[in-house]
Every structure is written in structure tokens, then in C-alpha cells.
Amino acid sequence: MKIVNYPHPALRVKAKPVAAIDAGVQKAAAEMLELMYRHEGLGLAAPQVTLDYQMIVMNFAGDPDREDLEVVAINPVIAEKKGGLINDREGCLSFPGLYQNVRRYKTVVVKYFDLKGEEREMVCHDLPARVWQHEIDHLQGELFIDRMGSLGLHRSQRDLDKYVADFEKAKKKGDLPPGLEAAVGVRHVLS
Ligand SMILES: [Zn+2]
């Protein structure tokens, strides 16, 4: 399992709901958590590892020793957004080194299934709410660059150009990023 970077088409795929939490899903969740910690992220969504189903893993402290803050969420939805929009710095493991301000709701009420298939509800504010909104966007094929606004995008252009160049280089070398064959419904924002 590997995290793919923008502009890998898997990042634009709309993930499908998980129908059954089987051994494959459980194994993927464990591997995603491990990858997330290794890359020092707070969250990781299945499309970032080219899996096309609705699963996200998070730890709001990014700390493997804080298992109490670890969440594996299957088929998550935001039931309510409130508290107004907050503009704050955000990054993404599929855009290494890029940080920009993005507007997110201060508070969200989320519903999801845990790995045991139990339905859960959580109310989060501030950073955890931001992580939820960022990761649930991934399941819709939405990326934080879509929410930056023109100024943020303009400031990100050099990084985005570099990701595209790296991707094209890998493709030319025949070193295709994994999962490319499974990618459907590719959509380009920055064309
Ligand atoms: Zn992300």
C-alpha cells in the first residue's frame, strides 16, 4: 500500500459505500493507520491509497500512542455543519509540503460505522472537525485545492506544477503510480 500524490486520477474517484466489513477492509484499515503515522498525518482516506470505497482513518493528535484519539470511519456522512466557517492552514498527504488556508465549518456532527459495524455519531469542533471535513471530501473526489479560492491556488501553483511534472516523469519512465488502471471518472480542476 502506498499514498499517491496529486494528480493521480484515483484522487478524483467517487468512493463507493462499503457493503461488508470483511477481513480485507480490516487489513486495509490497519495498513492505512500505519501509513498515516509514518507520514505524520492526522487523517488518510481510502482513495489516497487507490482504494475506491468509503473508509477514512484519523488520529486527531497524529500520535500512535494516543489510541483513544484513533478513528476508523466507514461510510461516514456529515449530518450537520455549524458554527460558521473558519479559515485556517491545512495540508494533505497527497500534496507533500503544500499548506494553505482553507475555510471549514467550526463544528460538525458526523455519523459513520466503526470496524465492528456499529453505527456511531460524533460531534467535533475546530481541528478534528477540519480533519473530518477534509477526509470526507476525499471520498467525493474533492481535494483541498478545490476549496482554496483563487489566491490560495495562485500561491500553490508552483507546487502543483511540480506534482504534475513528477507524475508525468513517472508515467514516461513506465513507472506508473499504482492503481492507475482502476481510476475512472477523472476530472481536472486546473486545466
Ligand atoms: Zn488529504
Side-chain angles (χ1 to χ4, degrees):
M1 186 183 277
K2 203 173 164 243
I3 298 174
V4 295
N5 290 348
Y6 176 84
H8 195 295
L11 296 171
R12 289 303 190 185
V13 174
K14 262 188 123 171
K16 296 189 281 278
V18 174
I21 303 166
D22 57 16
V25 170
Q26 307 226 3
K27 185 166 174 275
E31 286 182 30
M32 282 171 63
L33 277 169
E34 202 191 305
L35 259 184
M36 179 189 81
Y37 289 129
R38 202 188 312 151
H39 291 268
E40 298 181 347
L42 302 180
L44 185 64
Q48 293 179 276
V49 294
T50 73
L51 295 174
D52 65 348
Y53 50 84
Q54 295 174 14
M55 179 161 75
I56 59 186
V57 301
M58 293 168 289
N59 181 315
F60 303 123
D63 181 353
D65 292 332
R66 292 294 308 274
E67 246 181 76
D68 55 313
L69 296 175
E70 204 171 271
V71 177
V72 176
I74 290 162
N75 302 347
V77 288
I78 296 179
E80 216 182 320
K81 305 173 198 180
K82 50 192 179 185
L85 289 161
I86 309 234
N87 202 24
D88 205 356
R89 219 165 100 100
E90 198 170 302
C92 178
L93 291 180
S94 294
F95 295 77
L98 177 62
Y99 297 91
Q100 285 293 342
N101 278 1
V102 178
R103 287 147 67 89
R104 301 282 186 189
Y105 284 92
K106 179 178 173 62
T107 299
V108 289
V109 181
V110 288
K111 289 185 176 168
Y112 63 98
F113 292 88
D114 67 17
L115 269 182
K116 291 180 188 138
E118 305 219 357
E119 197 169 9
R120 293 184 172 252
E121 188 177 299
M122 196 187 275
V123 183
C124 285
H125 312 280
D126 302 311
L127 182 62
R130 177 169 293 274
V131 177
W132 272 107
Q133 290 168 83
H134 178 110
E135 300 308 332
I136 287 181
D137 268 0
H138 271 301
L139 301 180
Q140 300 298 319
E142 298 280 336
L143 302 171
F144 79 144
I145 51 173
D146 306 335
R147 296 191 183 269
M148 271 178 196
S150 53
L151 184 64
L153 262 188
H154 181 71
R155 286 183 175 145
S156 309
Q157 200 56 55
R158 195 181 294 176
D159 291 277
L160 297 181
D161 289 345
K162 188 183 172 299
Y163 302 136
V164 171
D166 288 349
F167 183 80
E168 293 303 328
K169 217 186 289 168
K171 228 162 66 172
K172 223 174 263 169
K173 265 181 27 197
D175 185 13
L176 270 181
L180 205 57
E181 65 289 339
V184 287
V186 183
R187 189 161 61 78
H188 296 285
V189 239
L190 301 164
S191 53

